[in-house]
């Protein structure tokens, strides 16, 4: 025979699940900041909601106010579906080309540092050439960082360039070079308009320093709070030390 739960055991279980006085309750959700946007549900959930709304609208005997509300809901769901599919595509492309972008970014940053070092030691005759080359490397760094998220990434260093191969007129890389040049032209226009940074290497360095600085401050603020709660001193031993000094 199975054990029977009594009212006393149930009340004890309920009391143990309730938070105690002064106990912090950790929630899974947190309020969004002003810069954050609410996360949309998955594509399949939105599609399921669209199908349900369409089945509801297909009914012949449907109240007018319900039909109007359902039509508005359908339009909103279709807009959410377009955003969700766009976001899924952006995440897939970002994951696919993350490694390529990382290595190319490292290579361009090294070149920028080398050109800056040469500029500090260059004469006036070579300064203009180095400044032009520095600007081009900065355009390439912005190209990597701000490449359109919904387009397949076109590498700055394709196999033809890495292997020093000669391109023919029938080569498919000719079209790829044209697309790359179009994106570079867009990047240059954005930099000239002041929308993109003219020195992206400094912007990225400052962003990293700010990120790690905030983590450092958060970590050691917690240590300071714990240090104030327990400063490592004991009044008992302080009194003993004072008595020994008097003796």
């Amino acid at each position: 025979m199975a054990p029977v739960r009594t009212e006393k055991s149930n009340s004890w279980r309920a009391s143990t699940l309730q938070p105690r006085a002064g106990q912090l309750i950790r929630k899974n959700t947190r309020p969004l900041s002003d810069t954050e946007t609410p996360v949309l549900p998955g594509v399949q959930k939105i599609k399921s909601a669209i199908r349900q709304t369409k089945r509801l609208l297909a009914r012949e005997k449907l109240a007018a106010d319900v039909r109007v509300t359902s039509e508005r809901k359908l339009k909103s769901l279709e807009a959410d579906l377009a955003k969700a599919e766009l976001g899924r595509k952006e995440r897939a492309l970002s994951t696919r080309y993350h490694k390529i972008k990382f290595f190319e970014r490292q290579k361009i940053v090294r070149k920028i540092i080398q050109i800056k070092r040469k500029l500090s030691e260059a004469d006036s005759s070579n300064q203009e050439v180095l400044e032009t080359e520095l600007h081009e490397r900065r355009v390439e760094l912005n190209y990597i960082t701000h490449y359109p998220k919904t387009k397949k990434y076109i590498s700055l260093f394709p196999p033809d360039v890495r292997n020093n191969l000669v391109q023919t007129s029938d080569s498919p890389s000719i079209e790829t070079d044209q697309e790359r040049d179009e994106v570079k032209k867009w990047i240059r226009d954005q930099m000239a308009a002041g929308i993109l940074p003219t020195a992206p290497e400094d912007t990225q360095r400052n962003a990293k320093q700010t990120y790690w600085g905030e983590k450092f401050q958060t970590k050691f603020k917690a240590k300071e709070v714990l240090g104030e709660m327990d400063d490592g001193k004991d009044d008992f031993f302080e009194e003993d030390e004072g008595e020994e000094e008097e003796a």
Side-chain angles (χ1 to χ4, degrees):
M1 181 176 178
V4 179
R5 291 184 178 179
T6 62
E7 184 178 354
K8 183 177 179 180
S9 62
N10 290 335
S11 62
W12 174 83
R13 178 179 175 82
S15 62
T16 55
L17 294 176
Q18 291 178 357
R20 298 177 182 176
Q23 183 179 359
L24 296 177
I25 303 173
R26 187 179 296 276
K27 296 181 179 180
N28 295 329
T29 59
R30 62 178 179 84
L32 295 175
S33 61
D34 296 336
T35 57
E36 291 178 331
T37 55
V39 180
L40 292 173
V43 174
Q44 298 302 325
K45 288 185 177 181
I46 298 176
K47 287 183 177 180
S48 176
I50 289 175
R51 287 194 296 270
Q52 292 176 4
T53 307
K54 286 183 176 180
R55 282 196 295 267
L56 179 63
L57 289 171
R59 295 181 182 177
E60 295 180 358
K61 296 180 180 181
L62 190 64
D65 55 343
V66 177
R67 183 174 295 277
V68 171
T69 305
S70 300
E71 288 175 353
R72 291 176 181 174
K73 181 181 178 181
L74 180 61
K75 290 181 181 179
S76 176
L77 287 171
E78 288 174 347
D80 290 345
L81 179 61
K83 291 179 182 178
E85 288 179 341
L86 184 65
R88 185 170 65 175
K89 182 179 180 181
E90 290 178 358
R91 288 191 297 272
L93 292 175
S94 176
T95 304
R96 182 186 302 175
Y97 299 112
H98 174 76
K99 187 175 180 180
I100 298 173
K101 287 184 176 182
F102 173 77
F103 286 115
E104 290 191 351
R105 188 184 299 110
Q106 296 292 100
K107 189 171 184 178
I108 294 297
V109 169
R110 284 198 298 268
K111 286 186 177 181
I112 288 175
I113 294 172
Q114 291 172 2
I115 296 170
K116 282 184 174 181
R117 190 181 296 115
K118 290 179 182 178
L119 267 173
S120 62
E121 302 172 355
D123 299 332
S124 57
S125 58
N126 298 329
Q127 191 170 4
E128 186 176 354
V129 177
L130 290 173
E131 286 179 352
T132 303
E133 187 178 357
L134 178 61
H135 178 71
E136 187 62 25
R137 298 291 86 77
R138 285 171 168 170
V139 169
E140 290 175 348
L141 185 56
N142 273 328
Y143 175 95
I144 299 168
T145 308
H146 302 282
Y147 192 88
K149 296 180 180 180
T150 56
K151 291 185 64 176
K152 292 183 179 180
Y153 183 71
I154 301 175
S155 174
L156 288 170
F157 309 104
D160 294 342
V161 176
R162 291 196 297 265
N163 300 328
N164 296 322
L165 299 177
V166 179
Q167 298 180 2
T168 61
S169 58
D170 299 332
S171 176
S173 61
I174 300 296
E175 296 180 1
T176 305
D177 292 343
Q178 292 177 354
E179 293 180 8
R180 186 189 301 110
D181 293 338
E182 288 178 0
V183 177
K184 278 188 176 182
K185 182 180 181 302
W186 175 76
I187 292 291
R188 291 190 185 93
D189 295 340
Q190 297 290 309
M191 291 174 67
I195 299 173
L196 293 180
T198 55
E201 70 280 4
D202 297 333
T203 306
Q204 293 183 5
R205 189 186 305 114
N206 293 335
K208 286 184 178 179
Q209 290 175 355
T210 303
Y211 171 75
W212 289 110
E214 289 177 354
K215 290 195 72 173
F216 182 84
Q217 290 176 3
T218 304
K219 179 179 178 181
F220 282 91
K221 275 182 183 178
K223 287 189 175 182
E224 288 176 1
V225 172
L226 293 174
E228 291 176 359
M229 294 173 60
D230 183 11
D231 56 1
K233 296 180 180 179
D234 195 333
D235 294 339
F236 177 76
F237 291 106
E238 285 183 356
E239 290 178 359
D240 288 348
E241 291 174 358
E243 290 176 359
E244 290 177 0
E245 290 176 358
E246 290 177 358

